[in-house]
């Protein structure tokens, strides 16, 4: 497998995180838009973190925190994506999944469902294996705008000496909750417009499609956003799954693209259409 070559901004993001850690910041965060390769960035960062954790006492770059890594994800789909990218970037490391009944807690890098860890049993398994497998020295939180939820706090409290990194495309919660008590500082960020101007993301044009049958009366709100389940049902009732492909063919032709939907069911119906 050919080695993944990092883009300049990805290298800069990793450098900013390591500098923050060396400056005694325990919980830095980085913000990169969708398509910028956040998973590639934290996979390469894991590889370098492992490289500097040389137990030699003369190694001034080592953090002395333990060399095992936890990657926290909040959705099952993200776990497999993260595992595949870590394997590609660092094939010499063992990568395990900790989700539901899968408990690969002896791996160098553990990609974990936050819901599974917060329930406690898997968390205790990881901490009980420190003598055998090594201590957890780094926790990376994907989609870290969720991290002020109590379930994340349980995981963080179990590893008080571990360094942390938060990664997200948007440092804001849908419910308006604060993140300043979790992440100390965003040490690196790039906007969508910056990515477009440098040719890393395709420029976009906006087109509004009117769904005349869409009834928002029964769609509840949660904080400052619509409840995903209610919105997904309303969209399917208005046959948005059929309207989206029609609009796509009209305006985008045969060009590749991405469709974001509020629920998995909406996504599957749209893909089928």
């Amino acid at each position: 497998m050919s080695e993944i070559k990092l883009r300049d901004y990805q290298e800069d993001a990793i450098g900013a995180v390591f500098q923050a850690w060396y400056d005694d910041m325990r919980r830095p965060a980085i913000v990169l838009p969708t398509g910028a390769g956040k998973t590639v960035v934290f996979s390469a960062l894991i590889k370098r973190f492992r490289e500097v954790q040389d137990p030699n006492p003369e190694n001034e770059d080592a953090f002395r925190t333990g060399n095992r890594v936890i990657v926290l994800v909040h959705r099952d789909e993200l776990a497999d994506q993260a595992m595949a990218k870590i394997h590609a970037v660092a094939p010499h490391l063992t990568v395990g999944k900790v989700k539901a009944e899968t408990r690969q807690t002896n791996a160098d890098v553990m990609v974990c469902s936050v819901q599974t860890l917060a329930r406690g049993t898997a968390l205790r398994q990881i901490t009980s294996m420190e003598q055998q497998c090594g201590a957890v020295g780094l926790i990376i939180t994907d989609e870290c705008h969720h991290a002020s939820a109590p379930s994340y706090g349980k995981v963080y409290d179990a590893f008080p000496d571990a360094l942390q990194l938060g990664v997200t495309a948007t440092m804001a919660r849908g419910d308006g909750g604060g993140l300043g008590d979790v992440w100390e500082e965003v040490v690196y960020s790039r906007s969508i417009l910056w990515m477009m101007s440098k040719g890393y993301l395709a420029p976009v044009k906006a087109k509004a499609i009117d769904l005349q049958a869409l009834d928002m009366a029964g769609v509840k709100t949660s904080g400052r956003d619509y409840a995903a389940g209610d919105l997904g049902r309303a969209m399917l009732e208005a046959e948005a799954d059929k309207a989206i492909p029609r609009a796509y063919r009209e305006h985008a032709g045969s060009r590749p693209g991405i469709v974001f939907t509020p629920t998995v069911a909406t996504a599957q119906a749209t893909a089928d259409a």
Side-chain angles (χ1 to χ4, degrees), residues 226-255:
Y226 292 113
D230 288 347
L231 182 58
R233 284 189 292 273
M235 289 182 66
L236 288 177
E237 289 170 0
E239 297 189 336
D241 55 312
K242 299 179 178 63
I244 291 169
R246 286 198 301 268
Y248 195 97
R249 288 204 302 178
E250 178 183 352
H251 297 290
S254 60
R255 287 175 289 172

Side-chain angles (χ1 to χ4, degrees), residues 4 37 54 62 101 140 144 150 171 177 202 223 236 247 262 264:
I4 294 176
D54 185 342
E101 301 306 314
I140 296 174
C144 71
M171 190 57 85
L236 288 177
V264 172

Side-chain angles (χ1 to χ4, degrees), residues 134-258:
V136 172
L138 172 60
I139 300 174
I140 296 174
T141 303
D142 192 19
E143 306 288 352
C144 71
H145 51 281
H146 296 286
S148 58
S151 53
Y152 287 83
K154 291 180 181 178
V155 178
Y156 300 153
D157 290 345
F159 306 98
D161 297 327
L163 294 171
Q164 291 196 34
L165 170 64
V167 182
T168 185
T170 170
M171 190 57 85
R173 283 176 59 88
D175 62 5
L179 291 161
D181 56 343
V182 181
W183 308 111
E184 296 172 66
E185 185 179 332
V186 175
V187 297
Y188 190 87
S189 67
R190 286 293 182 265
S191 69
I192 292 176
L193 290 178
W194 184 91
M195 300 288 292
M196 289 180 183
S197 71
K198 301 296 183 182
Y200 294 120
L201 291 180
V204 297
K205 294 180 180 179
K207 295 284 185 181
I209 308 302
D210 185 12
L211 289 174
Q212 295 183 353
L214 181 62
D215 182 7
M216 298 293 288
V219 179
K220 298 184 178 66
T221 57
S222 176
R224 295 178 295 179
D225 208 349
Y226 292 113
D230 288 347
L231 182 58
R233 284 189 292 273
M235 289 182 66
L236 288 177
E237 289 170 0
E239 297 189 336
D241 55 312
K242 299 179 178 63
I244 291 169
R246 286 198 301 268
Y248 195 97
R249 288 204 302 178
E250 178 183 352
H251 297 290
S254 60
R255 287 175 289 172
I258 301 172

Side-chain angles (χ1 to χ4, degrees), residues 115-130:
Q115 293 87 352
T116 298
L117 282 194
R119 284 195 289 269
T121 304
L123 205 57
R124 289 190 292 273
Q125 288 178 358
I126 294 173
T127 55
S128 68
M129 298 180 73
E130 287 191 352

